[in-house]
């Protein structure tokens, strides 16, 4: 059959130059020129050449690259009527449908073979721009500005579908694989391109570790609950209640209200810190600064905790470094004395719980803040709200046990003696906790 030529016109209605490339998905269709740069507001002509098969209206698919954005388009060509002797030969419409399906399948294969990844970053990130320049030579990298609310919302939806937590920026997504922070480099990117999804013993091991991730959070909360800063305040509260003549039932009531107030107060403080740190982690420079500050602080805290453990072991408790400042300790005691004497026991206990939370943060925050950073880093299959709840449940368990022991008939002197005899162990465990957190934040 005779070759058909047709002219198409492309107009650049934008304010910038347009680089356009056509790629035919059929050997029967060619275009000349295949690539061209069209100035803003200008129009350019392209010649299509088709070797037809069949008769009637014929369609063929082409891939179009416009300034790096790839799409598919369909070209329609009206063919001359067939000779009368050929009308009874076959079904041109059927052949046309078959051809269209083949074109679509071929287009899909080509699109699938293209490497298209999404990078989410903030403007001014030099490492991001460097990666885009390196990867953009061979692959298509779509850029997304996380300072735009729509882009950030879109990212959060994608990560939710992938069941992956947002840790830090820049963030790169390719299919179901995600790189974050320092992982975003050309070497890591090429590795995930060649990655094959297989169920191996190593993956089963990693899945097991995923389920174990909440355990350090609970343990840290439990350890923070027996932190001398918090525990000595609890003992002082119980002593004050006995001193003003409160009965065991009243002490149990105070214990329930105090525990609930402490749990809610610490949870809300943690929620605020979580949102602030997570927002700060959006910016790579700020994220690195926070990380290094935490590492230095944890190193110092671990050394001081080991020093305190040594002093506690030899009975020199007054020489311990990590404890509430005398001024804050005095304020807490004044709040407790004032509100345990009030007739309004419920309101007084709530006030004590809130004020104790605020004043003790200078001490208990030493554990809380790094744990929140850890939560942001590992958040994946479970919500950060669950992790915060888990931490604070661990934190209030010592409170519950102490008040329950007092209600059962024990006294605060026995509890104080038990605590003092194990103070060096608690300090030692706190030191080990600080050291371990250096490797996980």
């Amino acid at each position: 059959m005779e070759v058909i030529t047709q002219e198409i016109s492309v107009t650049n209605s934008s304010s910038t130059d347009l680089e356009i490339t056509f790629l035919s998905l059929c050997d029967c269709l060619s275009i000349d020129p295949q690539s061209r740069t069209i100035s803003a507001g200008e129009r350019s002509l392209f010649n299509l050449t088709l070797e037809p098969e069949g008769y009637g209206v014929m369609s063929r698919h082409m891939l179009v690259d416009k300034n790096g954005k790839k799409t598919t388009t369909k070209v329609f060509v009206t063919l001359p009527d067939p000779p009368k002797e050929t009308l009874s030969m076959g079904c041109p419409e059927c052949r046309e449908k078959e051809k269209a399906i083949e074109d679509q399948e071929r287009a899909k294969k080509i699109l699938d073979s293209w490497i298209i990844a999404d990078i989410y970053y903030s403007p001014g990130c030099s490492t991001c721009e460097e990666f885009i320049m390196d990867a953009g030579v061979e692959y298509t990298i779509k850029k997304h500005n996380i300072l735009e609310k729509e882009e950030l919302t879109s990212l959060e939806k994608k990560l939710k579908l992938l069941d992956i937590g947002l840790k830090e920026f820049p963030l790169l997504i390719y299919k179901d694989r995600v790189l974050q922070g320092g992982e975003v480099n050309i070497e890591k990117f090429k590795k995930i391109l060649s990655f094959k999804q297989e169920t191996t013993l190593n993956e089963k091991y990693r899945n097991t570790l995923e389920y174990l991730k909440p355990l350090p959070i609970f343990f840290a909360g439990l350890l923070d609950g027996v932190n001398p800063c918090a525990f000595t305040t609890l003992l002082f509260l119980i002593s004050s209640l006995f001193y003003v003549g409160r009965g065991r039932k009243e002490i149990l009531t105070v214990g329930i209200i105090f525990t609930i107030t402490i749990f809610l107060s610490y949870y809300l403080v943690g929620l605020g810190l979580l949102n602030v740190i997570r927002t700060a982690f959006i910016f790579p420079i700020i994220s690195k600064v926070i990380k290094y500050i935490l590492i230095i602080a944890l190193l110092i805290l671990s050394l001081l905790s080991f020093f305190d453990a040594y002093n506690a072991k030899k009975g020199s408790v007054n020489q311990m470094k990590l404890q509430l400042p005398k001024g804050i300790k005095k304020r807490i005691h004044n709040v407790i004395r004032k509100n345990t004497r009030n007739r309004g026991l419920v309101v007084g206990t709530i006030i004590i719980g809130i004020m104790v939370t605020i004043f003790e943060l200078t001490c208990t925050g030493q554990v809380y803040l790094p744990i929140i950073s850890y939560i942001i880093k590992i958040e994946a299959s479970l919500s950060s709200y669950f992790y915060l709840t888990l931490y604070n449940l661990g934190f209030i368990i010592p409170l519950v046990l102490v008040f329950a022991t007092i209600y059962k008939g024990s006294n605060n002197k026995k509890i104080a003696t038990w605590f003092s005899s194990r103070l060096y162990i608690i300090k030692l465990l706190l030191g080990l906790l600080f050291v371990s957190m250096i490797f996980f934040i």
Side-chain angles (χ1 to χ4, degrees):
M1 186 175 285
E2 186 179 339
V3 173
I4 295 175
T5 59
Q6 187 168 313
E7 206 172 49
I8 61 171
S9 171
V10 177
T11 302
N12 180 11
S13 57
S14 68
S15 57
T16 58
D17 290 351
L18 171 66
E19 292 184 9
I20 188 166
T21 300
F22 292 95
L23 177 61
S24 172
L25 302 181
C26 173
D27 294 336
C28 62
L29 178 65
S30 61
I31 186 164
D32 182 48
Q34 190 172 350
S35 299
R36 176 173 284 176
T37 299
I38 306 175
S39 302
E42 296 295 320
R43 184 171 70 95
S44 184
L45 298 177
F46 294 83
N47 295 311
L48 291 177
T49 302
L50 176 68
E51 296 179 7
E53 296 178 13
Y55 304 93
V57 178
M58 187 176 182
S59 65
R60 288 292 177 267
H61 286 84
M62 286 195 304
L63 295 176
V64 184
D65 185 325
K66 296 183 288 187
N67 287 346
K69 185 177 180 181
K70 298 176 176 65
T71 57
T72 59
T73 188
K74 187 182 285 188
V75 177
F76 292 92
V77 179
T78 303
L79 304 178
D81 293 333
K84 291 182 179 180
E85 59 269 18
T86 64
L87 289 176
S88 60
M89 295 174 59
C91 172
E93 292 80 6
C94 299
R95 174 60 185 156
E96 189 64 32
K97 288 181 181 179
E98 290 174 1
K99 191 66 177 175
I101 293 171
E102 289 174 4
D103 288 346
Q104 289 174 355
E105 289 176 349
R106 194 180 294 110
K108 186 178 184 301
K109 286 180 181 178
I110 293 177
L111 284 171
D112 288 342
S113 68
W114 281 343
I115 306 301
I116 302 175
D118 295 271
I119 185 168
Y120 293 83
Y121 72 109
S122 57
C125 172
S126 57
T127 55
C128 309
E129 295 292 350
E130 183 180 342
F131 168 78
I132 292 168
M133 287 182 66
D134 291 341
V137 176
E138 298 179 66
Y139 316 108
T140 301
I141 307 296
K142 293 183 179 178
K143 299 187 289 185
H144 303 271
N145 183 356
I146 56 169
L147 299 181
E148 296 177 8
K149 187 177 179 181
E150 297 79 9
E151 296 285 15
L152 194 56
T153 302
S154 172
L155 172 61
E156 288 171 347
K157 289 179 179 177
K158 285 183 180 180
L159 292 178
K160 189 173 182 180
L161 290 173
L162 293 172
D163 198 21
I164 295 174
L166 174 59
K167 300 170 188 175
E168 56 183 321
F169 289 99
L171 185 145
L172 181 79
I173 298 179
Y174 171 64
K175 294 186 177 179
D176 61 344
R177 302 285 290 171
V178 176
L179 298 176
Q180 302 192 49
E183 296 177 336
V184 180
N185 57 64
I186 193 66
E187 289 79 16
K188 286 270 189 181
F189 180 50
K190 287 184 176 180
K191 279 185 180 179
I192 67 170
L193 294 181
S194 59
F195 176 81
K196 292 183 179 179
Q197 191 68 35
E198 297 174 354
T199 304
T200 64
L201 290 175
N202 286 336
E203 285 181 338
K204 289 179 180 178
Y205 176 70
R206 286 197 296 269
N207 290 336
T208 302
L209 289 180
E210 187 73 23
Y211 290 110
L212 295 177
K213 282 180 179 179
L215 291 182
I217 297 172
F218 179 76
F219 175 74
L222 190 64
L223 199 54
D224 203 15
V226 291
N227 189 328
C229 305
F231 207 82
T232 52
T233 299
L234 176 61
L235 293 176
F236 183 82
L237 171 61
I238 293 170
S239 298
S240 299
L241 290 169
F242 275 120
Y243 181 78
V244 297
R246 301 291 185 182
R248 295 192 185 278
K249 287 188 177 179
E250 286 182 306
I251 291 175
L252 180 64
T253 302
V254 169
I256 293 170
I257 298 169
F258 181 75
T259 301
I260 293 172
T261 305
I262 288 289
F263 176 84
L264 293 175
S265 300
Y266 268 96
Y267 183 86
L268 291 174
V269 168
L271 199 59
L273 289 172
L274 183 78
N275 290 328
V276 169
I277 296 173
R278 182 180 281 158
T279 303
F281 275 13
I282 291 176
F283 305 96
I285 295 176
I286 297 176
S287 174
K288 286 183 180 179
V289 169
I290 292 174
K291 184 177 179 179
Y292 290 133
I293 289 174
L294 282 174
I295 288 172
I296 294 169
L298 286 168
L299 186 61
I300 295 170
L301 289 170
S302 61
L303 293 173
L304 291 176
S305 294
F306 292 137
F307 178 77
D308 287 351
Y310 171 75
N311 284 319
K313 180 66 175 175
K314 69 177 186 177
S316 305
V317 178
N318 292 331
Q319 294 183 20
M320 292 197 310
K321 300 297 182 182
L322 294 178
Q323 54 181 319
L324 283 172
K326 290 182 180 179
I328 293 178
K329 197 180 293 185
K330 189 176 180 180
R331 285 187 179 185
I332 291 174
H333 290 175
N334 287 337
V335 170
I336 290 173
R337 288 193 190 98
K338 179 181 177 181
N339 288 282
T340 49
R341 290 188 174 93
N342 289 341
R343 291 184 178 180
L345 194 61
V346 174
V347 176
T349 304
I350 291 173
I351 293 172
I352 291 172
I354 294 171
M355 297 306 294
V356 164
T357 299
I358 295 170
F359 289 134
E360 281 188 351
L361 272 176
T362 54
C363 187
T364 55
Q366 296 165 6
V367 179
Y368 208 8
L369 192 61
I371 281 294
I372 288 173
S373 299
Y374 174 72
I375 288 172
I376 293 171
K377 183 175 181 179
I378 69 162
E379 183 187 344
S381 57
L382 296 172
S383 166
S384 54
Y385 304 115
F386 169 80
Y387 288 127
L388 278 179
T389 302
L390 192 65
Y391 176 89
N392 285 288
L393 283 174
F395 186 80
I396 65 169
I397 283 177
L399 300 181
V400 174
L401 291 176
V402 168
F403 280 112
T405 304
I406 294 293
Y407 181 73
K408 287 289 185 180
S410 185
N411 58 66
N412 60 321
K413 289 184 180 179
K414 287 184 180 179
I415 296 172
T417 302
W418 177 91
F419 177 73
S420 298
S421 65
R422 290 163 177 79
L423 182 57
Y424 78 95
I425 298 175
I426 294 169
K427 281 291 185 178
L428 184 63
L429 289 174
L430 279 169
L432 292 173
L433 177 66
F434 289 136
V435 171
S436 64
M437 281 164 45
I438 291 173
F439 300 98
F440 291 103
I441 60 170

